[in-house]
Every structure is written in structure tokens, then in C-alpha cells.
Amino acid sequence: MYISQAFKGLHEWWRYLIGLSLIVLAVILGQIPFTAAVMAKAYFNGDSLFNMNEQKMMSLLESNLNLFLMLLSFAVGLAGLLLVTKYLHKLSFIQITTSRKKIDWNRFWFIFFLWGIISSSFVLIEYYNTPENYVVNFKWIPFLILCIVAIIMVPLQTSFEEYLFRGYLMQGIGVVLKNKWAPLILTSVVFGSLHYANPEVDQLGDIMLIYYIGTGFFLGIMTLMDEGLELSLGFHAANNLFTALLVTADWTAFQTHSIFKDISEPEAAGFTDIFVPLVIVFPIILLILSKKYKWANWKDKLFGKVLEPQKEN
């Protein structure tokens, strides 16, 4: 039913090609302030961006300003996506969000706090077990500014990714190919592959792509089984927001005035980093959600056909 929402608007294949191009253009436009600020800072420092690695480039600006400008491109991209949906496809905000008559914010907040507690617990347990790998990074004023920036901007960033992959592209591919398995696979693989540029992949190895693609499948399964984006929106927002506030490192995508800083030397990701979340944690969360929301008919919802709703006479 969720993918079939796209049938209620204009859904020709060429509209999705044009729409995706406009969304990418919006993201590029949103990157201009960050690029200009970094270039100006490098110029005044007498540095050259051509000889600068990504880690050095990300540390040029004050971290709160850096975070705001870095996430601004996602906010502009989200605005572009919603405009494309409304004017090019004639779909409402609710129709691209859920198959329900209205957005179920209780679903969003349930998984937001569930994953926020679980992910924060992992960080605190790691800190307790290996305190030598962390320093307390907490400073009141920078942290309060971080809270304001992160609470506003991080959900915009994660919402853009969810509306793009689990919303716009999943619906578009689904109504064009008339099945559910293709959009699930394609959006998950593309979502994970685009994270290849993250500095974590350089430090922890290409095996991290398995985690990112697996997370894409996890979010896609939630979307299809629950017939809406509310759960994936809540999970993704909690994942990035709590991480930004709790822990940072010099080699991560988010370098913030967080409470803790990981000062350990990064090592290649192993079983604990990759397979425990994908094979143990995520399936348990899906089980909890399936019981709570009474999911059924998994085969059809994940692999069935996408049928155009019959028009009422």
C-alpha cells in the first residue's frame, strides 16, 4: 500500500529522472555555503585545498559551524525533494510519508527513544570497559550550541535521506517496475554505497559498506512492513542525533563538541562492529516492532507485486 501511494499522483518514469536531477541540484546548491566558508578559511590560513585531506578540511571551521554548514545541503535537498513531490508528481506530504490517513508520530517517537536508549547504552558500555580510549570532551557553552544545531539540523539530514531512499526512490522504482523487491534491493545498495565517501570507511575498511547496505535493508524492511516512513525516520534521526551529542573522533563524519571523544587508533572493523548489529540487534528490533504493530504477510509486503489501486466510480 505504501508504494502504491505514488499512483495517486503523476508517476511516469521520466518524472522521476527529472525529479532526481532537481533534487541533486538542490543538494549541490546547499553545499555552496560550506564550500565557500572552507575555501575562505583555507585562503586566510595560507593553505591549499588541493593538498589537503578530508580530515584536515573538516577541521578548518569551528565544529558547530562546520556541522551546521555541512548539514545545510541536506536541508536544502529536503526542501527540493518536497517541492518536486508536490509540483512535479502532485503528491501530498502525507502520501510520500505514509499509507495511513495521517502521520503516526507515536511510531516515530517510540523507535526514536528505543534506539536512542540502545545506541547510547552501547557507547556508555564501551566507555566503561575501555575508559583509556576516551576523554571527556564536555564544555557547557559549545555543547549547548551543539544541541541547538544538532536538534534542528540532524533530523533534517536524516529525513532527507529517508524521504529520498525509502520514500521518493522506493515509490518511484516500485510503481515503474511494479514490484517491491527491486526498490528494496536497489535503494538499500545505493544508500549503503553512497556512504563509501565517509571517512569511517577509510579508517575501518571497505567492510563497513556491508554495515551501511545492511542498515539500508533494515530501514527498507521497516518501511515496507509498516507501510510508512515513520519508523525509519525515527530510527535514523535517533542514530545520528545521539551519536553527534555523545561521542566524536577525529576520523568520523561528525566532528562535534560531544560529551566524549574517542582518542583510540581506529582499527579495521570486525565481527562486533558489523555483524552483531546486522545479525543480532536489528533482527531483535524488527521482532519487537512486528509484535507491537502486528506485522503479517511478510512475503507479499517485501516481495509482492505493486498494484495500482482501483479507481472508484
Side-chain angles (χ1 to χ4, degrees):
M1 288 177 62
Y2 172 67
I3 291 179
S4 299
Q5 293 285 90
F7 284 117
K8 297 178 180 179
L10 304 176
H11 54 274
E12 294 87 353
W13 64 268
W14 56 267
R15 291 182 183 272
Y16 286 96
L17 289 181
I18 294 174
L20 184 59
S21 299
L22 293 173
I23 292 166
V24 171
L25 178 60
V27 173
I28 293 173
L29 292 174
Q31 289 176 339
I32 292 176
F34 174 77
T35 303
V38 169
M39 291 178 65
K41 184 66 173 178
Y43 175 79
F44 286 116
N45 289 350
D47 297 324
S48 172
L49 291 179
F50 298 103
N51 300 322
M52 192 178 298
N53 60 35
E54 185 179 2
Q55 182 176 330
K56 178 67 181 297
M57 189 181 301
M58 296 295 289
S59 64
L60 281 175
L61 303 176
E62 191 277 329
S63 65
N64 282 328
L65 176 61
N66 186 79
L67 181 67
F68 173 80
L69 292 176
M70 186 174 65
L71 298 183
L72 182 61
S73 64
F74 295 95
V76 177
L78 178 60
L81 187 153
L82 296 179
L83 289 173
V84 163
T85 301
K86 181 177 181 179
Y87 293 106
L88 184 61
H89 297 278
K90 306 299 182 183
L91 286 170
S92 69
F93 180 63
I94 291 178
Q95 287 169 333
I96 197 175
T97 303
T98 184
S99 61
R100 287 170 273 275
K101 293 182 179 180
K102 61 180 182 179
I103 299 172
D104 188 349
W105 291 108
N106 288 330
R107 278 172 152 82
F108 174 93
W109 290 115
F110 173 77
I111 197 164
F112 178 87
F113 288 113
L114 174 65
W115 184 242
I117 293 170
I118 293 173
S119 60
S120 299
S121 299
F122 288 154
V123 172
L124 295 176
I125 290 171
E126 181 70 16
Y127 173 72
Y128 178 80
N129 288 334
T130 57
E132 67 277 6
N133 289 340
Y134 295 87
V135 294
V136 176
N137 192 50
F138 180 78
K139 296 177 183 178
W140 266 110
I141 300 302
F143 181 76
L144 289 176
I145 297 173
L146 168 64
C147 287
I148 295 171
V149 172
I151 290 171
I152 294 173
M153 300 302 293
V154 169
L156 294 178
Q157 175 244 329
T158 57
S159 294
F160 169 71
E161 294 186 5
E162 291 309 307
Y163 275 103
L164 177 61
F165 291 102
R166 260 65 65 178
Y168 189 75
L169 292 178
M170 183 168 279
Q171 286 187 341
I173 296 170
V175 298
V176 170
L177 299 182
K178 301 295 192 297
N179 65 57
K180 299 174 183 176
W181 60 265
L184 174 61
I185 293 174
L186 290 173
T187 58
S188 301
V189 171
V190 174
F191 171 79
S193 299
L194 287 178
H195 286 78
Y196 187 76
N198 282 19
E200 289 89 342
V201 176
D202 286 336
Q203 297 295 331
L204 304 179
D206 290 350
I207 194 174
M208 283 298 295
L209 285 177
I210 297 176
Y211 173 77
Y212 289 127
I213 293 173
T215 302
F217 274 102
F218 169 68
L219 294 168
I221 290 169
M222 280 199 299
T223 299
L224 291 177
M225 290 305 303
D226 201 51
E227 301 287 3
L229 286 179
E230 293 97 333
L231 292 175
S232 66
L233 285 168
F235 178 93
H236 204 159
N239 186 74
N240 289 25
L241 180 59
F242 281 87
T243 299
L245 296 178
L246 269 179
V247 63
T248 188
D250 290 335
W251 45 269
T252 58
F254 281 179
Q255 296 181 32
T256 66
H257 291 290
S258 58
I259 296 175
F260 300 110
K261 183 173 183 178
D262 184 348
I263 58 172
S264 63
E265 287 295 324
E267 300 177 354
F271 178 82
T272 302
D273 304 295
I274 305 299
F275 296 102
V276 168
L278 297 182
V279 178
I280 300 175
V281 179
F282 289 174
I284 291 175
I285 292 176
L286 289 176
L287 179 62
I288 293 171
L289 296 174
S290 69
K291 298 297 183 181
K292 180 175 177 62
Y293 298 115
K294 298 179 173 57
W295 292 347
N297 201 11
W298 288 66
K299 183 178 179 180
D300 179 66
K301 286 192 174 183
L302 297 180
F303 305 104
K305 296 181 179 180
V306 175
L307 303 175
E308 185 170 359
Q310 295 295 321
K311 295 181 179 179
E312 297 180 1
N313 296 325

